[in-house]
Amino acid sequence: YTMDRGSYIGSEDPEVTPAVFLPHFSTSTQGIIGFDIGPDVGTTREIGNLDLSSFTNGVYVGTASATYDEGGEVNGPGLRLTGTLTPGSDGHHRFAAYKGGALEVASVLSGASTRVYIGEPNTLGTMGDPTKEEYSTVLLTGENTHGGTTTLYAGRLLLGHEQALGTGALVVQPHNITLPGESSSDIHAELGVYAPEMEGGVFTLANPIQLNATLSINDFEPLRLSGPISGSGGLDLQEDASLELTSDNTFSGGIYLRPYAGLTIASSTATGTGQLGFGGGSYSDVYVKTDNPIIHGLDSREDSDYASFHLYQEATLFKVVQPEGTDTKFVGDIHSDAYEGYRSEEHTSELQSR
């Protein structure tokens, strides 16, 4: 077989091992080679060693399968990779689930210059169908040491270990996926945590993040981003998501909070240089744990989009710099144990609490 970018061919036959299946593909093939389970199989398919070194054109490995509970909800991956993974001839790993499938990469990814790519950027199948809450998911659970970047194009990336991304940056890149009536920028890749052993703790991701497109944060587990975040993209917090930002960030795409999302600001420029937006017709909380936060604009999309700012420091100068020429409104409250003073200037609002 020779596949173009965005194509998928998989095998459900458990007797078809990689050694049997892979030689059927041209070494120059693109797209996704899949290992699946049948519709009546309730257990994850496991593959040990996987050698893609003969492939020369950036082929992906993935699955279109997942396991389901009695209620029809996904409760596990269809494919788990556990052994030694030998990447294609360029030395980089590429993983993509397809049409709602779930792939777990438990293998350790290493190599000082090895890069990892998540999601095939040319097919809607690698996103799944978010309108039906059917996400194609790649789960990285290894304590990885690779030094190259991890690039996320599309779909859901779940992290099961705080070292899952190795030592390099997470780069969120634009994809080429569209739906009728929507543009490519309306469909966001998603980041989340799946680490049941944490028992209610906060998962800390220390890697730098480069946002060249919007990144959606899901509500699976609380997530702390302690590395610097840069780029022209933004963050979209899903309903009930919990995110903490602790670095001085420069990303310019803003942060959008959906109903009941919680955002913790732990440095003065944690929110970057974009606006904080609130939407979805409900209530959001922003917890301010620095004494000099700088917010570059507030935007409640509707009167029902209410947000509450909680100031934790004894003396906080809360500064809102409204971007030039913008016409927005804020519906909500800003409060602490003691509140004093309000001052307004052109495009700038400051509140002082002592």
Side-chain angles (χ1 to χ4, degrees):
Y1 308 116
T2 298
M3 289 189 291
D4 295 326
R5 293 231 176 267
S7 302
Y8 180 92
I9 296 178
S11 172
E12 295 180 350
D13 189 343
E15 302 300 321
V16 178
T17 64
V20 173
F21 195 40
L22 294 179
H24 288 280
F25 295 88
S26 165
T27 58
S28 63
T29 197
Q30 301 172 320
I32 310 166
I33 297 176
F35 297 90
D36 300 318
I37 56 177
D40 299 323
V41 177
T43 56
T44 299
R45 182 176 183 177
E46 292 198 2
I47 290 179
N49 299 340
L50 184 64
D51 187 350
L52 300 174
S53 60
S54 64
F55 291 90
T56 62
N57 214 4
V59 72
Y60 281 74
V61 63
T63 186
S65 302
T67 61
Y68 299 87
D69 61 21
E70 293 180 354
E73 298 293 326
V74 173
N75 68 354
L79 174 66
R80 178 181 294 117
L81 303 177
T82 60
T84 299
L85 303 182
T86 305
S89 62
D90 65 356
H92 307 310
H93 296 286
R94 292 171 174 85
F95 306 110
Y98 189 73
K99 289 190 174 180
L103 164 66
E104 179 184 351
V105 183
S107 304
V108 174
L109 308 177
S110 60
S113 59
T114 298
R115 298 194 295 267
V116 177
Y117 296 89
I118 305 295
E120 215 287 349
N122 299 292
T123 173
L124 184 61
T126 196
M127 177 64 74
D129 186 351
T131 64
K132 298 179 181 178
E133 297 186 355
E134 178 188 275
Y135 286 89
S136 299
T137 301
V138 175
L139 169 62
L140 301 181
T141 57
E143 187 175 355
N144 298 319
T145 60
H146 63 283
T149 56
T150 298
T151 299
L152 175 60
Y153 285 109
R156 171 187 284 161
L157 171 60
L158 295 182
L159 307 178
H161 194 286
E162 290 183 335
Q163 303 300 318
L165 300 184
T167 60
L170 173 64
V171 180
V172 182
Q173 282 288 89
H175 51 70
N176 303 315
I177 300 169
T178 59
L179 285 170
E182 295 184 343
S183 68
S184 175
S185 61
D186 293 325
I187 304 173
H188 305 148
E190 179 185 307
L191 177 68
V193 174
Y194 182 74
E197 69 281 359
M198 289 184 57
E199 297 183 356
V202 178
F203 185 103
T204 299
L205 181 65
N207 302 69
I209 298 177
Q210 174 78 26
L211 296 177
N212 298 328
T214 296
L215 176 63
S216 181
I217 305 296
N218 73 26
D219 64 342
F220 283 22
E221 301 286 349
L223 174 62
R224 176 187 295 120
L225 300 180
S226 63
I229 306 173
S230 58
S232 60
L235 297 171
D236 186 328
L237 275 61
Q238 293 184 4
E239 186 171 337
D240 292 318
S242 177
L243 177 66
E244 181 178 357
L245 301 175
T246 65
S247 184
D248 290 325
N249 300 317
T250 60
F251 68 100
S252 60
I255 303 175
Y256 182 68
L257 284 76
R258 298 181 185 274
Y260 306 110
L263 173 66
T264 299
I265 301 170
S267 78
S268 60
T269 58
T271 60
T273 61
Q275 288 187 332
L276 287 188
F278 308 95
S282 197
Y283 186 91
S284 300
D285 287 290
V286 180
Y287 305 96
V288 181
K289 296 186 177 181
T290 177
D291 60 4
N292 60 340
I294 302 173
I295 310 297
H296 290 267
L298 298 173
D299 183 11
S300 296
R301 306 294 170 85
E302 304 291 341
D303 289 341
S304 57
D305 297 329
Y306 191 94
S308 183
F309 283 80
H310 308 266
L311 309 184
Y312 280 78
Q313 300 292 340
E314 289 185 2
T316 299
L317 176 67
F318 188 94
K319 185 174 183 179
V320 178
V321 181
Q322 190 70 9
E324 190 86 27
T326 59
D327 182 15
T328 62
K329 61 185 174 182
F330 171 65
V331 180
D333 62 85
I334 303 171
H335 63 86
S336 66
D337 291 340
Y339 170 87
E340 178 181 330
Y342 176 84
R343 170 170 150 244
S344 179
E345 299 177 356
E346 186 177 5
H347 310 300
T348 302
S349 297
E350 295 181 359
L351 295 109
Q352 179 92 30
S353 73
R354 289 191 174 92

